[in-house]
Amino acid sequence: MVETGKINLNSIQKIFPPRSENASEVEAVHQVSATIKPGEFIALIGPSGCGKSTLLRMIAGLELPTTGGILLDDEIVTAPSRERGFVFQEANLYPWLTVEDNVAFGLKINNKVKNKKAEIQQFIELVGLKGFEKSYPYELSGGMQQRVSLARTLINYPKVLLLDEPFGALDAFTRMRIHDELIKIWQERKLTTVMVTHDVEEAVYLADRVFAMTPRPAILKEIIDIDLPHNRHRESSEFIALKTKVLKALNFQD
Ligand SMILES: Nc1ncnc2c1ncn2[C@@H]1O[C@H](COP(=O)(O)OP(=O)(O)OP(=O)(O)O)[C@@H](O)[C@H]1O
Ligand SMILES: [Mg+2]
């Protein structure tokens, strides 16, 4: 089988025009080059406002680079596509739709699926929400809502999963549980995953490689290999050493 989901970032730069007459332009991302292998899990980490979301949105095709180019499987990214599923910080569910209808919404214009009902059920189960098919978003916790959002994205079988701080609003226990579920899904589906996070522990727990970005404009300062098998132990000396390495790359510890 041919492996898909390779991403090339070729000298990506993003400059936003001035917001008002007296403002100046903002360079959010500066000359980022990297290759992300099919099936790899990358964590993008950097200080607030540095340009992480901008970089992720460019991979999604939601923004275009000012200079440079992004390739997905050697094809240039020019617009959003269901091949690149995006999960935002907030779940953004439709409050008037049930869990199953929210998940089904992702499928609406996709006619390829033969048995929609079975497919929807499969994805609800995949994210651990069996029994909540008929619930409405207001009846769910934040973590459950974020799982619905993940199911709604995964049901399109994206080649690439893009996550913009999707668990930032969750409490520590829920976050840890969702981390393990995400790893399971990622391993099963062999999805290339790029996740933006502020959280060094989250990055080291999940990623194959951590991309440490500088303050704005975001420059790819250092790539840290996380050469630990899953399930990782947050208290192990290897884990803590890698956390220190990431923190050093971000200049928080000398
Ligand atoms: N559409 C836009 N127009 C003008 N400036 C923008 C636009 N989008 C982002 N910016 C600016 O680009 C910079 C980077 O923003 P971005 O959202 O990528 O940062 P971030 O690293 O994701 O921050 P956070 O961690 O707070 O989410 C910021 O200074 C922001 O104000
Ligand atoms: Mg952001």
Side-chain angles (χ1 to χ4, degrees):
M1 204 176 90
V2 186
E3 283 197 328
T4 59
K6 180 182 70 174
I7 302 169
N8 291 97
L9 307 175
N10 297 328
S11 302
I12 303 302
Q13 185 193 30
K14 181 68 183 184
I15 299 174
F16 289 108
R19 283 192 205 259
S20 66
E21 234 175 68
N22 301 322
S24 45
E25 57 181 28
V26 172
E27 187 182 25
V29 176
H30 182 77
Q31 302 294 344
V32 170
S33 292
T35 299
I36 299 171
K37 294 183 266 260
E40 209 178 5
F41 197 129
I42 300 292
L44 278 181
I45 193 163
S48 182
C50 79
K52 302 179 296 294
S53 295
T54 304
L55 183 57
L56 197 72
R57 289 168 60 79
M58 286 193 281
I59 300 174
L62 294 165
E63 297 273 2
L64 290 179
T66 311
T67 61
I70 294 170
L71 304 177
L72 172 59
D73 295 326
D74 301 318
E75 280 183 38
I76 189 138
V77 171
T78 55
S81 152
R82 279 163 197 262
E83 280 188 335
R84 281 163 274 125
F86 204 101
V87 178
F88 297 87
Q89 185 161 8
E90 302 297 330
N92 291 321
L93 303 178
Y94 297 104
W96 59 88
L97 296 179
T98 61
V99 166
E100 60 185 6
D101 289 342
N102 264 290
V103 174
F105 197 85
L107 265 178
K108 282 273 157 70
I109 9 185
N110 182 347
N111 296 321
K112 278 181 272 177
V113 177
K114 287 189 198 88
N115 188 345
K116 280 191 188 178
K117 236 183 141 51
E119 188 83 356
I120 292 159
Q121 189 59 35
Q122 186 202 327
F123 279 88
I124 288 174
E125 286 180 25
L126 182 72
V127 297
L129 284 180
K130 190 169 190 240
F132 292 92
E133 293 81 354
K134 305 284 180 205
S135 301
Y136 285 89
Y138 74 88
E139 296 173 292
L140 306 177
S141 68
M144 291 159 93
Q145 291 187 24
Q146 209 44 299
R147 288 190 192 130
V148 179
S149 173
L150 194 59
R152 188 176 58 179
T153 301
L154 291 173
I155 200 162
N156 292 306
Y157 293 93
K159 287 183 184 178
V160 174
L161 183 61
L162 303 170
L163 307 162
D164 195 354
E165 303 199 43
F167 313 134
L170 307 181
D171 67 85
F173 294 111
T174 310
R175 204 154 58 202
M176 285 195 272
R177 208 168 331 119
I178 283 204
H179 285 162
D180 290 333
E181 284 170 11
L182 178 63
I183 287 297
K184 219 172 85 204
I185 293 167
W186 167 73
Q187 286 173 330
E188 272 173 27
R189 311 232 146 223
K190 300 180 173 55
L191 279 168
T192 307
T193 302
V194 184
M195 176 183 204
V196 167
T197 178
H198 277 118
D199 184 341
V200 176
E201 183 161 299
E202 178 166 83
V204 175
Y205 192 75
L206 296 172
D208 294 319
R209 288 191 293 159
V210 177
F211 287 9
M213 316 299 290
T214 61
R216 203 186 79 210
I219 299 172
L220 178 49
K221 187 178 174 202
E222 198 174 326
I223 296 178
I224 298 103
D225 284 308
I226 310 295
D227 203 5
L228 294 176
H230 292 285
N231 300 311
R232 296 176 182 168
H233 298 284
R234 292 178 173 88
E235 281 74 38
S236 73
S237 53
E238 296 96 323
F239 192 95
I240 292 165
L242 284 162
K243 257 172 62 177
T244 308
K245 211 169 163 182
V246 176
L247 283 167
K248 273 190 179 153
L250 296 169
N251 265 337
F252 289 135
Q253 219 171 70
D254 293 316

